[in-house]
Amino acid sequence: MLVFVLNAGSSSLKYQLINAKTADVIASGLVERIGIDGILKHEVGENKKLTFEINMPTHKEAIELVLKTLTHDETKVINSISEIQAIGHRVVHGGEYFKESVIVNDEVIKKIEELIPLAPLHNPANILGIKICQDLMPNIPNVVVFDTAFHQTMPEENFLYAVPHEDYTEHHLRKYGFHGTSHYFVSQEAIKLLENKKNSRIIVCHLGNGSSICAVKNGESINTSMGLTPLEGLIMGTRSGDIDAGVIPYLMERKEMNSHQIVDYLNKKSGILGVSGISSDLREVIKASNDGDKRATITIEMMCNRIKKYLCSYAGLLGGVDAICFTAGIGENSDLIREKVCTGLEFMGIEIDKEKNSKRASGNREINKKTSKTKIYIIPTNEEFVIARDTYNLTKDWLYLLQNENLNKIE
Ligand code: ADP
């Protein structure tokens, strides 16, 4: 069962061709600079990496090129596009409409369109990706998997903002949360590692370029750090995370910024990049800190303290914590950040084993001391696999019916 997983952004797209049953990635890649010039980076297995610089005025040419690369004589991994059985799309915002993944139809597209004001940069590109696939591969079913869906189980007291209630009912102002596919995947893996413990209390720290933390009770999200938009919460690569809302009018007046400029400032110029003045890439900031750069050191301290603050507050909401999971670029690779976050929390029964933590390894692993009441895991995330599996599960009956219909026709 081959599923084509597509994550269409405003000027880029990521894709994977996955066997949804075995989780094997047949090919993957990234198209960047759509509408500017165009670069396709395509990978097959560990060793075969190809780069094409081809003019791609729109997403249509980009997706056409990806499909051609998958099937072209010299680069092919499949003989024909008809070998793709379904397409799974990552969609950023599903609002309150979508609590799970769904097969695409006109009504679904209309609802994703309605949600554009909540995700003006992402949902239009996601819709474009769906429509182009429908156009280029008319007989293949499309499924949408939402970043927000997993957090739809949050109770009202955790998703409402303390503002006049009519702004929730009339303007949909509330916390939605993002990275849901990752939080879902990682928490499910943790539940397996906890041997399906009943009433599990898990905290997932998704620490990448964008970062969020999620409290998962019995497999359901009960709170998460991102909000109406992905700006809220942790200190990220270029986003400030939580900040006094009073900062906004203050800066608008002092620096004569308009609302677009302030959004850009908080989303693209702040966070690790803004504080360190070095880079949004934590590796460079850690290196500078090791070389004695004070701002780099304070950036790391601020970032870890923010994670710790959320971790402790979520432990309180959950009434204890059975497992803390680290995932994504920083969570999976930085022993320094994991150690700093967990150190000092021994009073809560959280004891990290420094040796296990600093050991290079791959796959799921436990990094707590034997005496630790809370398990500490590193769990590599796999959002594409969740998208492929949801797509497979939703479309397999549909494909079965279609095949039988064709068989009947042949008979
Ligand atoms: P995205 O949110 O774009 O998917 P990733 O999950 O790939 O991001 O995480 C990217 C971030 O991971 C980079 O910005 C980099 O700072 C960080 N990172 C990767 N490896 C390491 C490492 N060994 N130490 C510290 N940070 C790392």
Side-chain angles (χ1 to χ4, degrees), residues 6-7 62 84 99 147 157 168 177 208 211 238 260 299 317 344:
L6 187 67
N7 179 359
I84 297 174
K99 299 185 189 331
D147 262 22
E157 63 270 25
Y168 165 55
S211 298
T238 58
H260 291 292
T299 308
L317 282 184

Side-chain angles (χ1 to χ4, degrees), residues 4-9 12-16 29-31 90 384:
F4 182 61
V5 173
L6 187 67
N7 179 359
S12 70
L13 53 92
K14 288 186 194 156
Y15 61 90
Q16 283 196 4
L30 167 70
V31 186
R90 177 188 180 196
E384 288 79 11

Side-chain angles (χ1 to χ4, degrees), residues 14 207-210 280-283 286 328-330 333-334:
K14 288 186 194 156
L207 311 176
N209 201 16
S280 62
D281 188 323
L282 188 68
R283 284 167 291 201
I286 292 174
I330 297 169
N333 297 304
S334 178

Side-chain angles (χ1 to χ4, degrees), residues 129-291:
I130 298 167
K131 288 189 172 167
I132 294 167
C133 286
Q134 285 178 324
D135 216 25
L136 296 174
M137 298 174 273
N139 298 320
I140 304 178
N142 290 272
V143 165
V144 277
V145 180
F146 298 92
D147 262 22
T148 49
F150 180 59
H151 302 299
Q152 281 296 300
T153 46
M154 281 191 291
E156 219 170 343
E157 63 270 25
N158 291 348
F159 75 65
L160 284 178
Y161 288 120
V163 294
H165 192 71
E166 56 273 21
D167 288 329
Y168 165 55
T169 50
E170 285 170 29
H171 299 291
H172 318 287
L173 187 77
R174 54 159 285 178
K175 176 190 281 254
Y176 291 95
F178 299 88
H179 290 141
T181 317
S182 176
H183 288 302
Y184 168 71
F185 176 81
V186 173
S187 56
Q188 285 296 313
E189 289 293 297
I191 290 170
K192 280 188 231 156
L193 292 171
L194 292 170
E195 295 170 346
N196 295 316
K197 179 184 183 296
K198 288 262 174 293
N199 305 318
S200 58
R201 301 155 303 175
I202 293 166
I203 297 177
V204 180
C205 306
H206 177 113
L207 311 176
N209 201 16
S211 298
S212 69
I213 182 163
C214 182
V216 185
K217 194 170 191 174
N218 285 329
E220 292 187 344
S221 167
I222 63 155
N223 209 345
T224 190
S225 57
M226 283 180 168
L228 174 79
T229 75
L231 181 56
E232 193 179 342
L234 303 179
I235 296 173
M236 312 180 211
T238 58
R239 294 186 195 125
S240 64
D242 294 342
I243 199 160
D244 175 2
V247 164
I248 295 170
Y250 179 80
L251 276 177
M252 286 171 97
E253 280 164 32
R254 297 280 294 202
K255 294 182 77 176
E256 294 182 359
M257 288 169 138
N258 61 32
S259 63
H260 291 292
Q261 287 166 324
I262 199 95
V263 166
D264 196 60
Y265 173 93
L266 293 173
N267 274 290
K268 298 197 177 140
K269 299 192 175 122
S270 300
I272 296 172
L273 171 69
V275 183
S276 71
I278 297 167
S279 170
S280 62
D281 188 323
L282 188 68
R283 284 167 291 201
E284 287 184 38
V285 178
I286 292 174
K287 189 173 169 294
S289 165
N290 290 339
D291 293 342

